[in-house]
């Protein structure tokens, strides 16, 4: 049976769950679709992630407006991927904040990534014509940026933990509540996408840095909220294990002089029993294996995914498996 390309056959609606993690701290999860969040300041809002289109973002904002009518002063984007940034115009934010590397990646490959992700996940692009163009940050940083929330609300810390899912992932951390929004650095019962990743950094020092915050609740990029220190540890451990198994199997075939398709089969065999039923597993795996193979070949900076290259790699791996 030929597997449908990426998530192109995933057309059914997902149930969205609105969660209040603490007073004025919100998340919306959606059965493995990209998560979004918001934090109330004394007289403003910080939103985390923007969804794929303004129309999709507006459905989230409508939920949020049932709780607060504060204006969005800051829109924080964890990384450059289209399904998290192209809805930005709906927020009317005074500042759009990313890591320095995210701005560079948008400049380098934003349009190709848009086309690639639209082809891979068409369902997420609700009313694609509502996207006004690429999303550009108005404020970037390299290491840490702290936003005072006003009143007795404490502060929000934005931090870069090292190269991981992309070169420029940032997390949002609320020390007062010990709550973290981790973007795609951590997934909770969803498969990891690593097609633009730095696997060795991510699986070691970067996840160590994420874990060192000792969050009591964590909103990953996809999947349910990890609530409680045990659940947070489990989500981080799962993400690390996924990466470790991918690295182990692909490296083994690569070092043994095997072919890319052999590495794909080895990774699939190792990962499918535990992760095969989780959202986007089959979609991601060919791109993940290709990227780690490139890293082992010495390609440090991820090659750009285009709609055409997506189809070539898919045909070479998923359709030959
Ligand atoms: Zn991503």
């Amino acid at each position: 049976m030929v597997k449908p390309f990426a998530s192109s056959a995933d057309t059914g609606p997902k149930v969205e769950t609105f969660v209040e993690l603490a007073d004025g701290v919100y998340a919306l999860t959606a059965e493995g679709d990209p998560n979004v969040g918001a934090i109330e300041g004394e007289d403003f809002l910080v939103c985390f992630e923007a969804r794929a289109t303004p129309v999709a973002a507006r459905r989230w904002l409508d939920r949020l407006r049932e709780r607060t009518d504060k204006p969005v002063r800051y829109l924080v984007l964890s990384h450059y991927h289209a399904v998290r940034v192209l809805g930005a115009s709906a927020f009317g934010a005074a500042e759009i904040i990313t890591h320095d590397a995210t701005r560079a990646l948008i400049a380098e490959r934003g349009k190709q990534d848009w086309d690639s992700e639209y082809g891979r996940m068409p369902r997420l692009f609700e009313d694609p014509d509502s996207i006004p163009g690429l999303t550009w940050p108005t404020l970037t940083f390299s290491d840490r940026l702290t936003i005072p929330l006003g009143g007795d609300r404490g502060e929000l810390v934005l931090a870069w933990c090292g190269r991981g899912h992309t070169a420029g992932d940032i997390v949002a951390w609320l020390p007062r509540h010990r709550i973290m929004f981790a973007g795609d650095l951590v997934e909770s019962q969803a498969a990891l996408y690593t097609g633009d990743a730095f696997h060795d950094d991510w699986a070691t020092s970067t996840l160590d840095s994420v874990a060192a915050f000792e969050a009591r609740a964590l909103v990953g990029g996809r999947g349910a909220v990890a609530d409680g220190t045990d659940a947070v540890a489990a989500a981080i451990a799962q993400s690390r294990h996924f990466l470790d198994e991918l690295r182990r199997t692909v490296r083994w075939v690569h070092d043994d002089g095997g072919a890319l398709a052999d590495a794909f089969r080895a990774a699939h065999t190792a990962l499918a029993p535990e992760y095969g039923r989780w959202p986007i597993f089959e979609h991601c795996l060919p791109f993940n294996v290709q990227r780690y193979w490139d890293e082992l070949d010495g390609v440090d900076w991820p090659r750009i995914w285009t709609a055409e290259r997506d189809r070539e790699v898919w045909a070479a791996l998923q359709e030959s498996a």
Side-chain angles (χ1 to χ4, degrees):
M1 193 185 86
V2 175
K3 291 177 183 170
F5 173 69
S7 291
S8 61
D10 175 6
T11 54
K14 299 287 186 271
V15 175
E16 298 182 344
T17 305
F18 186 96
V19 185
E20 183 163 9
L21 294 145
D23 180 34
V25 183
Y26 311 103
L28 192 75
T29 67
E31 298 187 297
D33 276 359
N35 294 333
V36 287
I39 300 107
E40 282 190 45
E42 195 60 14
D43 56 4
F44 62 90
L45 269 174
V46 183
C47 285
F48 189 79
E49 313 286 45
R51 292 190 151 175
T53 69
V55 167
R58 252 171 244 134
R59 282 195 298 102
W60 152 235
L61 285 165
D62 287 347
R63 298 290 294 272
L64 200 54
R65 289 312 181 203
E66 295 169 8
R67 310 302 286 268
T68 171
D69 59 4
K70 293 172 186 173
V72 180
R73 186 177 298 170
Y74 303 104
L75 173 63
V76 177
L77 303 171
S78 70
H79 62 287
Y80 78 96
H81 282 151
V83 296
R84 296 179 183 276
V85 306
L86 292 179
S89 63
F91 292 79
E95 299 278 9
I96 297 176
I97 305 176
T98 72
H99 188 265
D100 295 336
T102 293
R103 174 153 57 193
L105 285 159
I106 291 168
E108 181 200 35
R109 61 183 68 194
K111 185 63 175 81
Q112 290 100 321
D113 177 65
W114 177 352
D115 294 342
S116 160
E117 296 199 45
Y118 182 49
R120 294 180 186 187
M121 297 170 275
R123 177 176 52 77
L124 297 180
F125 286 77
E126 296 170 54
D127 191 0
D129 292 339
S130 66
I131 301 169
L134 291 174
T135 296
W136 294 99
T138 60
L139 180 62
T140 68
F141 67 97
S142 61
D143 184 36
R144 231 167 221 258
L145 189 152
T146 299
I147 299 173
L149 294 171
D152 65 350
R153 292 174 182 272
E155 58 189 25
L156 179 71
V157 178
L158 306 180
W160 185 70
C161 295
R163 304 195 302 182
H165 172 73
T166 70
D169 306 271
I170 54 176
V171 301
W173 167 243
L174 284 159
R176 189 177 154 206
H177 299 294
R178 308 200 71 75
I179 294 172
M180 174 176 282
F181 292 86
D184 275 332
L185 286 176
V186 180
E187 309 295 358
S188 182
Q189 300 183 353
L192 274 67
Y193 175 66
T194 72
D196 301 305
F198 298 83
H199 288 77
D200 298 334
D201 292 2
W202 187 2
T204 56
S205 54
T206 300
L207 280 180
D208 287 347
S209 297
V210 171
F213 283 91
E214 300 186 337
R216 72 151 187 84
L218 182 146
V219 183
R222 293 171 180 263
V225 174
D227 191 6
T229 52
D230 290 350
V232 171
I236 294 170
Q238 174 235 300
S239 299
R240 199 190 302 265
H241 183 253
F242 186 101
L243 292 168
D244 284 346
E245 286 295 279
L246 186 63
R247 292 161 71 220
R248 180 180 66 80
T249 49
V250 174
R251 184 186 289 276
W252 182 77
V253 174
H254 187 272
D255 290 355
D256 199 44
L260 178 65
D262 301 325
F264 175 78
R265 278 188 285 273
H268 196 283
T269 299
L271 289 165
E274 195 167 349
Y275 303 103
R277 304 181 73 82
W278 287 5
I280 67 170
F281 173 79
E282 295 290 350
H283 158 169
C284 292
L285 198 62
F287 310 122
N288 294 353
V289 170
Q290 175 70 65
R291 169 56 189 152
Y292 193 51
W293 189 269
D294 287 350
E295 284 190 271
L296 294 170
D297 278 344
V299 180
D300 181 62
W301 193 245
R303 287 198 276 157
I304 296 174
W305 290 104
T306 64
E308 296 71 30
R309 184 167 165 248
D310 285 1
R311 296 280 178 172
E312 287 167 17
V313 169
W314 186 269
L317 298 182
Q318 279 287 26
E319 290 172 9
S320 71

Short mmCIF file of all heavy atoms in Angstrom, two decimals, residues 161-218:
data_model
loop_
_atom_site.label_atom_id
_atom_site.label_comp_id
_atom_site.label_asym_id
_atom_site.label_seq_id
_atom_site.Cartn_x
_atom_site.Cartn_y
_atom_site.Cartn_z
N CYS A 161 18.28 27.51 24.61
CA CYS A 161 18.90 26.40 25.36
C CYS A 161 19.96 25.67 24.54
O CYS A 161 20.48 24.64 24.97
CB CYS A 161 17.82 25.41 25.80
SG CYS A 161 16.66 26.12 26.99
N GLY A 162 20.28 26.19 23.35
CA GLY A 162 21.22 25.51 22.47
C GLY A 162 20.52 25.09 21.20
O GLY A 162 19.30 25.22 21.06
N ARG A 163 21.29 24.59 20.25
CA ARG A 163 20.70 24.16 18.98
C ARG A 163 19.88 22.89 19.21
O ARG A 163 20.30 22.01 19.97
CB ARG A 163 21.79 23.90 17.95
CG ARG A 163 22.70 25.11 17.73
CD ARG A 163 23.54 24.99 16.49
NE ARG A 163 24.39 23.81 16.47
CZ ARG A 163 25.25 23.52 15.49
NH1 ARG A 163 25.36 24.36 14.46
NH2 ARG A 163 25.99 22.44 15.54
N GLY A 164 18.74 22.80 18.57
CA GLY A 164 17.89 21.63 18.81
C GLY A 164 17.04 21.30 17.61
O GLY A 164 17.53 20.87 16.56
N HIS A 165 15.74 21.51 17.76
CA HIS A 165 14.77 21.27 16.68
C HIS A 165 15.10 22.13 15.46
O HIS A 165 14.89 21.72 14.32
CB HIS A 165 13.39 21.57 17.26
CG HIS A 165 12.26 21.56 16.30
ND1 HIS A 165 11.75 20.41 15.76
CD2 HIS A 165 11.53 22.59 15.78
CE1 HIS A 165 10.74 20.73 14.96
NE2 HIS A 165 10.59 22.02 14.94
N THR A 166 15.60 23.33 15.73
CA THR A 166 16.20 24.19 14.71
C THR A 166 17.40 24.86 15.36
O THR A 166 17.72 24.58 16.51
CB THR A 166 15.22 25.30 14.23
OG1 THR A 166 15.04 26.26 15.29
CG2 THR A 166 13.86 24.74 13.84
N ALA A 167 18.01 25.80 14.65
CA ALA A 167 19.15 26.53 15.24
C ALA A 167 18.68 27.57 16.25
O ALA A 167 19.48 28.04 17.06
CB ALA A 167 19.94 27.22 14.13
N GLY A 168 17.40 27.94 16.21
CA GLY A 168 16.96 29.10 16.99
C GLY A 168 15.76 28.89 17.89
O GLY A 168 14.99 29.82 18.09
N ASP A 169 15.60 27.69 18.46
CA ASP A 169 14.44 27.47 19.34
C ASP A 169 14.61 28.22 20.65
O ASP A 169 15.68 28.20 21.26
CB ASP A 169 14.31 25.98 19.68
CG ASP A 169 14.26 25.12 18.45
OD1 ASP A 169 13.16 24.89 17.95
OD2 ASP A 169 15.34 24.68 18.00
N ILE A 170 13.52 28.84 21.09
CA ILE A 170 13.53 29.43 22.43
C ILE A 170 12.38 28.86 23.26
O ILE A 170 11.36 28.42 22.71
CB ILE A 170 13.42 30.97 22.39
CG1 ILE A 170 12.20 31.43 21.59
CG2 ILE A 170 14.70 31.55 21.80
CD1 ILE A 170 12.01 32.94 21.60
N VAL A 171 12.58 28.85 24.57
CA VAL A 171 11.53 28.44 25.50
C VAL A 171 11.06 29.68 26.27
O VAL A 171 11.80 30.65 26.39
CB VAL A 171 12.01 27.35 26.49
CG1 VAL A 171 12.50 26.12 25.73
CG2 VAL A 171 13.11 27.89 27.42
N ALA A 172 9.83 29.62 26.76
CA ALA A 172 9.30 30.68 27.62
C ALA A 172 9.08 30.10 29.00
O ALA A 172 8.44 29.05 29.16
CB ALA A 172 7.98 31.22 27.05
N TRP A 173 9.63 30.79 30.01
CA TRP A 173 9.69 30.23 31.37
C TRP A 173 9.10 31.22 32.37
O TRP A 173 9.49 32.39 32.38
CB TRP A 173 11.14 29.91 31.70
CG TRP A 173 11.46 29.61 33.13
CD1 TRP A 173 12.28 30.32 33.95
CD2 TRP A 173 11.02 28.47 33.89
NE1 TRP A 173 12.36 29.71 35.18
CE2 TRP A 173 11.60 28.58 35.17
CE3 TRP A 173 10.18 27.39 33.61
CZ2 TRP A 173 11.36 27.63 36.17
CZ3 TRP A 173 9.95 26.46 34.61
CH2 TRP A 173 10.54 26.58 35.87
N LEU A 174 8.17 30.73 33.18
CA LEU A 174 7.57 31.53 34.24
C LEU A 174 8.11 31.03 35.57
O LEU A 174 7.61 30.03 36.11
CB LEU A 174 6.05 31.36 34.21
CG LEU A 174 5.32 32.13 33.11
CD1 LEU A 174 3.96 31.52 32.83
CD2 LEU A 174 5.19 33.61 33.48
N PRO A 175 9.14 31.68 36.13
CA PRO A 175 9.74 31.18 37.36
C PRO A 175 8.74 31.10 38.52
O PRO A 175 8.80 30.18 39.34
CB PRO A 175 10.84 32.19 37.68
CG PRO A 175 10.95 33.09 36.51
CD PRO A 175 9.78 32.90 35.63
N ARG A 176 7.83 32.08 38.57
CA ARG A 176 6.91 32.13 39.71
C ARG A 176 6.02 30.88 39.76
O ARG A 176 5.69 30.38 40.83
CB ARG A 176 6.05 33.39 39.57
CG ARG A 176 5.23 33.65 40.79
CD ARG A 176 4.43 34.94 40.67
NE ARG A 176 3.27 34.80 41.52
CZ ARG A 176 2.14 35.44 41.34
NH1 ARG A 176 1.99 36.27 40.35
NH2 ARG A 176 1.14 35.24 42.16
N HIS A 177 5.63 30.40 38.61
CA HIS A 177 4.74 29.22 38.57
C HIS A 177 5.48 27.94 38.18
O HIS A 177 4.89 26.87 38.19
CB HIS A 177 3.62 29.45 37.54
CG HIS A 177 2.75 30.62 37.83
ND1 HIS A 177 1.92 30.67 38.93
CD2 HIS A 177 2.56 31.79 37.17
CE1 HIS A 177 1.24 31.83 38.93
NE2 HIS A 177 1.63 32.52 37.88
N ARG A 178 6.73 28.08 37.80
CA ARG A 178 7.54 26.95 37.29
C ARG A 178 6.84 26.27 36.10
O ARG A 178 6.75 25.05 36.00
CB ARG A 178 7.83 25.93 38.40
CG ARG A 178 8.45 26.56 39.64
CD ARG A 178 9.17 25.57 40.52
NE ARG A 178 10.40 25.11 39.90
CZ ARG A 178 11.52 25.82 39.81
NH1 ARG A 178 11.58 27.04 40.31
NH2 ARG A 178 12.59 25.31 39.24
N ILE A 179 6.36 27.11 35.20
CA ILE A 179 5.69 26.63 33.98
C ILE A 179 6.58 26.98 32.79
O ILE A 179 7.09 28.10 32.70
CB ILE A 179 4.31 27.29 33.81
CG1 ILE A 179 3.37 26.83 34.93
CG2 ILE A 179 3.72 26.95 32.44
CD1 ILE A 179 2.05 27.58 34.96
N MET A 180 6.73 26.01 31.87
CA MET A 180 7.52 26.23 30.66
C MET A 180 6.70 25.98 29.40
O MET A 180 5.96 24.99 29.32
CB MET A 180 8.75 25.32 30.65
CG MET A 180 9.53 25.40 29.33
SD MET A 180 11.04 24.42 29.35
CE MET A 180 12.10 25.52 30.29
N PHE A 181 6.85 26.87 28.44
CA PHE A 181 6.40 26.62 27.07
C PHE A 181 7.65 26.27 26.27
O PHE A 181 8.55 27.11 26.12
CB PHE A 181 5.70 27.85 26.49
CG PHE A 181 4.40 28.18 27.16
CD1 PHE A 181 4.36 28.95 28.32
CD2 PHE A 181 3.20 27.70 26.65
CE1 PHE A 181 3.15 29.26 28.95
CE2 PHE A 181 1.98 28.00 27.26
CZ PHE A 181 1.96 28.77 28.41
N ALA A 182 7.74 25.04 25.80
CA ALA A 182 9.01 24.52 25.28
C ALA A 182 9.09 24.49 23.76
O ALA A 182 10.11 24.09 23.20
CB ALA A 182 9.26 23.12 25.83
N GLY A 183 8.04 24.92 23.07
CA GLY A 183 8.06 24.81 21.61
C GLY A 183 8.32 23.37 21.20
O GLY A 183 7.97 22.42 21.92
N ASP A 184 8.94 23.19 20.05
CA ASP A 184 9.15 21.84 19.53
C ASP A 184 10.41 21.16 20.09
O ASP A 184 10.78 20.08 19.62
CB ASP A 184 9.22 21.86 17.99
CG ASP A 184 7.84 21.79 17.35
OD1 ASP A 184 6.92 21.23 17.97
OD2 ASP A 184 7.68 22.30 16.23
N LEU A 185 11.04 21.75 21.09
CA LEU A 185 12.18 21.06 21.73
C LEU A 185 11.72 19.83 22.51
O LEU A 185 12.49 18.89 22.72
CB LEU A 185 12.92 22.00 22.68
CG LEU A 185 13.77 23.08 22.04
CD1 LEU A 185 14.35 23.98 23.12
CD2 LEU A 185 14.89 22.47 21.20
N VAL A 186 10.47 19.87 22.97
CA VAL A 186 9.91 18.75 23.73
C VAL A 186 8.52 18.46 23.17
O VAL A 186 7.73 19.39 22.97
CB VAL A 186 9.79 19.09 25.24
CG1 VAL A 186 9.21 17.90 26.01
CG2 VAL A 186 11.15 19.48 25.81
N GLU A 187 8.23 17.20 22.93
CA GLU A 187 6.87 16.81 22.55
C GLU A 187 6.33 15.88 23.63
O GLU A 187 7.09 15.16 24.28
CB GLU A 187 6.85 16.09 21.19
CG GLU A 187 7.57 16.82 20.07
CD GLU A 187 6.96 18.15 19.67
OE1 GLU A 187 5.92 18.56 20.22
OE2 GLU A 187 7.55 18.82 18.80
N SER A 188 5.04 15.93 23.80
CA SER A 188 4.41 15.08 24.81
C SER A 188 3.48 14.11 24.10
O SER A 188 2.42 14.49 23.64
CB SER A 188 3.64 15.94 25.80
OG SER A 188 3.07 15.14 26.80
N GLN A 189 3.92 12.89 23.95
CA GLN A 189 3.14 11.87 23.25
C GLN A 189 2.81 12.30 21.83
O GLN A 189 1.68 12.17 21.36
CB GLN A 189 1.90 11.52 24.05
CG GLN A 189 2.28 10.99 25.43
CD GLN A 189 1.10 10.56 26.26
OE1 GLN A 189 -0.04 10.75 25.89
NE2 GLN A 189 1.39 9.94 27.38
N ALA A 190 3.81 12.85 21.18
CA ALA A 190 3.73 13.12 19.74
C ALA A 190 5.14 12.88 19.21
O ALA A 190 6.13 13.01 19.94
CB ALA A 190 3.29 14.55 19.46
N ALA A 191 5.22 12.53 17.93
CA ALA A 191 6.53 12.26 17.34
C ALA A 191 7.31 13.56 17.17
O ALA A 191 6.73 14.64 17.07
CB ALA A 191 6.36 11.57 15.99
N LEU A 192 8.63 13.46 17.14
CA LEU A 192 9.48 14.63 16.93
C LEU A 192 9.74 14.83 15.44
O LEU A 192 9.96 13.86 14.71
CB LEU A 192 10.83 14.45 17.63
CG LEU A 192 10.90 14.87 19.12
CD1 LEU A 192 10.04 13.93 19.96
CD2 LEU A 192 12.32 14.86 19.62
N TYR A 193 9.74 16.09 15.01
CA TYR A 193 10.21 16.43 13.67
C TYR A 193 11.64 16.93 13.80
O TYR A 193 11.92 17.86 14.56
CB TYR A 193 9.32 17.50 13.02
CG TYR A 193 9.88 17.94 11.69
CD1 TYR A 193 9.93 17.04 10.62
CD2 TYR A 193 10.40 19.21 11.51
CE1 TYR A 193 10.48 17.41 9.40
CE2 TYR A 193 10.96 19.59 10.30
CZ TYR A 193 10.99 18.68 9.24
OH TYR A 193 11.54 19.05 8.05
N THR A 194 12.56 16.32 13.05
CA THR A 194 13.97 16.68 13.19
C THR A 194 14.62 17.03 11.85
O THR A 194 15.83 17.02 11.72
CB THR A 194 14.75 15.53 13.86
OG1 THR A 194 14.88 14.43 12.93
CG2 THR A 194 14.06 15.01 15.12
N GLY A 195 13.80 17.37 10.87
CA GLY A 195 14.31 17.64 9.53
C GLY A 195 15.20 18.87 9.41
O GLY A 195 15.91 19.03 8.42
N ASP A 196 15.14 19.76 10.41
CA ASP A 196 15.99 20.95 10.42
C ASP A 196 16.84 20.99 11.69
O ASP A 196 17.28 22.06 12.12
CB ASP A 196 15.12 22.21 10.35
CG ASP A 196 14.26 22.24 9.11
OD1 ASP A 196 14.83 22.13 8.00
OD2 ASP A 196 13.03 22.35 9.22
N ALA A 197 17.05 19.82 12.26
CA ALA A 197 17.60 19.75 13.63
C ALA A 197 19.11 19.57 13.67
O ALA A 197 19.77 19.29 12.66
CB ALA A 197 16.94 18.60 14.38
N PHE A 198 19.60 19.73 14.89
CA PHE A 198 20.99 19.43 15.24
C PHE A 198 20.91 18.32 16.29
O PHE A 198 20.86 18.58 17.50
CB PHE A 198 21.67 20.70 15.77
CG PHE A 198 21.70 21.80 14.74
CD1 PHE A 198 20.60 22.62 14.55
CD2 PHE A 198 22.82 21.99 13.94
CE1 PHE A 198 20.61 23.62 13.57
CE2 PHE A 198 22.84 22.98 12.97
CZ PHE A 198 21.74 23.79 12.79
N HIS A 199 20.82 17.08 15.79
CA HIS A 199 20.43 15.96 16.66
C HIS A 199 21.32 15.78 17.87
O HIS A 199 20.84 15.53 18.97
CB HIS A 199 20.45 14.66 15.85
CG HIS A 199 19.33 14.52 14.86
ND1 HIS A 199 19.31 15.17 13.65
CD2 HIS A 199 18.21 13.77 14.91
CE1 HIS A 199 18.22 14.83 13.00
NE2 HIS A 199 17.52 13.99 13.73
N ASP A 200 22.64 15.86 17.64
CA ASP A 200 23.56 15.54 18.73
C ASP A 200 23.49 16.59 19.84
O ASP A 200 23.52 16.25 21.03
CB ASP A 200 24.99 15.38 18.20
CG ASP A 200 25.10 14.23 17.21
OD1 ASP A 200 24.29 13.28 17.29
OD2 ASP A 200 25.98 14.27 16.33
N ASP A 201 23.40 17.86 19.46
CA ASP A 201 23.25 18.92 20.47
C ASP A 201 21.92 18.76 21.22
O ASP A 201 21.85 18.86 22.44
CB ASP A 201 23.25 20.31 19.82
CG ASP A 201 24.59 20.69 19.23
OD1 ASP A 201 25.52 19.88 19.29
OD2 ASP A 201 24.70 21.81 18.68
N TRP A 202 20.87 18.56 20.44
CA TRP A 202 19.51 18.50 21.00
C TRP A 202 19.39 17.38 22.04
O TRP A 202 18.88 17.60 23.15
CB TRP A 202 18.52 18.29 19.85
CG TRP A 202 17.06 18.37 20.16
CD1 TRP A 202 16.47 18.65 21.38
CD2 TRP A 202 15.99 18.19 19.24
NE1 TRP A 202 15.10 18.65 21.24
CE2 TRP A 202 14.78 18.37 19.95
CE3 TRP A 202 15.93 17.89 17.87
CZ2 TRP A 202 13.52 18.26 19.33
CZ3 TRP A 202 14.69 17.78 17.25
CH2 TRP A 202 13.50 17.96 17.98
N ALA A 203 19.88 16.21 21.68
CA ALA A 203 19.70 15.03 22.56
C ALA A 203 20.57 15.09 23.81
O ALA A 203 20.36 14.32 24.75
CB ALA A 203 20.02 13.76 21.78
N THR A 204 21.54 16.00 23.84
CA THR A 204 22.47 16.05 24.98
C THR A 204 22.33 17.38 25.73
O THR A 204 21.46 17.51 26.58
CB THR A 204 23.91 15.81 24.49
OG1 THR A 204 24.24 16.78 23.48
CG2 THR A 204 24.06 14.41 23.90
N SER A 205 23.17 18.34 25.38
CA SER A 205 23.23 19.57 26.19
C SER A 205 21.95 20.40 26.12
O SER A 205 21.56 21.03 27.11
CB SER A 205 24.43 20.41 25.73
OG SER A 205 24.38 20.64 24.34
N THR A 206 21.27 20.42 24.99
CA THR A 206 20.08 21.27 24.88
C THR A 206 18.95 20.74 25.77
O THR A 206 18.35 21.49 26.54
CB THR A 206 19.64 21.38 23.41
OG1 THR A 206 20.71 21.96 22.67
CG2 THR A 206 18.40 22.25 23.28
N LEU A 207 18.68 19.44 25.69
CA LEU A 207 17.64 18.89 26.58
C LEU A 207 18.08 18.93 28.04
O LEU A 207 17.23 19.08 28.93
CB LEU A 207 17.25 17.47 26.15
CG LEU A 207 16.28 17.40 24.96
CD1 LEU A 207 15.95 15.94 24.63
CD2 LEU A 207 14.97 18.17 25.24
N ASP A 208 19.37 18.82 28.29
CA ASP A 208 19.85 19.00 29.68
C ASP A 208 19.49 20.40 30.18
O ASP A 208 19.07 20.57 31.33
CB ASP A 208 21.38 18.83 29.76
CG ASP A 208 21.82 17.39 29.61
OD1 ASP A 208 20.95 16.47 29.68
OD2 ASP A 208 23.03 17.17 29.40
N SER A 209 19.67 21.40 29.32
CA SER A 209 19.35 22.78 29.71
C SER A 209 17.86 22.95 29.97
O SER A 209 17.45 23.65 30.90
CB SER A 209 19.80 23.77 28.64
OG SER A 209 21.20 23.72 28.48
N VAL A 210 17.05 22.33 29.12
CA VAL A 210 15.59 22.39 29.32
C VAL A 210 15.22 21.74 30.66
O VAL A 210 14.47 22.31 31.46
CB VAL A 210 14.85 21.70 28.16
CG1 VAL A 210 13.37 21.56 28.46
CG2 VAL A 210 15.08 22.46 26.85
N ALA A 211 15.79 20.58 30.92
CA ALA A 211 15.46 19.85 32.16
C ALA A 211 15.91 20.61 33.40
O ALA A 211 15.27 20.52 34.46
CB ALA A 211 16.11 18.46 32.13
N ALA A 212 17.00 21.37 33.27
CA ALA A 212 17.57 22.07 34.44
C ALA A 212 16.63 23.14 35.00
O ALA A 212 16.78 23.56 36.15
CB ALA A 212 18.91 22.70 34.06
N PHE A 213 15.65 23.57 34.23
CA PHE A 213 14.67 24.52 34.77
C PHE A 213 13.79 23.87 35.84
O PHE A 213 13.19 24.55 36.65
CB PHE A 213 13.78 25.07 33.64
CG PHE A 213 14.44 26.11 32.78
CD1 PHE A 213 15.15 25.76 31.63
CD2 PHE A 213 14.36 27.45 33.12
CE1 PHE A 213 15.74 26.72 30.83
CE2 PHE A 213 14.95 28.43 32.33
CZ PHE A 213 15.65 28.05 31.18
N GLU A 214 13.68 22.55 35.81
CA GLU A 214 12.85 21.81 36.77
C GLU A 214 11.42 22.34 36.79
O GLU A 214 10.87 22.72 37.84
CB GLU A 214 13.49 21.83 38.15
CG GLU A 214 14.88 21.19 38.15
CD GLU A 214 15.48 21.08 39.54
OE1 GLU A 214 15.09 21.85 40.44
OE2 GLU A 214 16.36 20.21 39.71
N ALA A 215 10.82 22.35 35.61
CA ALA A 215 9.44 22.81 35.49
C ALA A 215 8.49 21.87 36.21
O ALA A 215 8.72 20.67 36.29
CB ALA A 215 9.06 22.91 34.01
N ARG A 216 7.38 22.44 36.71
CA ARG A 216 6.33 21.59 37.27
C ARG A 216 5.18 21.39 36.28
O ARG A 216 4.34 20.52 36.46
CB ARG A 216 5.81 22.14 38.59
CG ARG A 216 4.97 23.37 38.46
CD ARG A 216 3.92 23.48 39.60
NE ARG A 216 3.01 24.59 39.36
CZ ARG A 216 1.93 24.51 38.56
NH1 ARG A 216 1.60 23.38 37.96
NH2 ARG A 216 1.18 25.57 38.38
N ALA A 217 5.17 22.20 35.21
CA ALA A 217 4.25 21.97 34.10
C ALA A 217 4.94 22.41 32.82
O ALA A 217 5.68 23.41 32.83
CB ALA A 217 2.95 22.72 34.28
N LEU A 218 4.72 21.66 31.76
CA LEU A 218 5.40 21.96 30.50
C LEU A 218 4.41 21.80 29.34
O LEU A 218 3.74 20.77 29.25
CB LEU A 218 6.61 21.05 30.33
CG LEU A 218 7.48 21.26 29.08
CD1 LEU A 218 8.95 20.97 29.39
CD2 LEU A 218 7.01 20.36 27.92
#
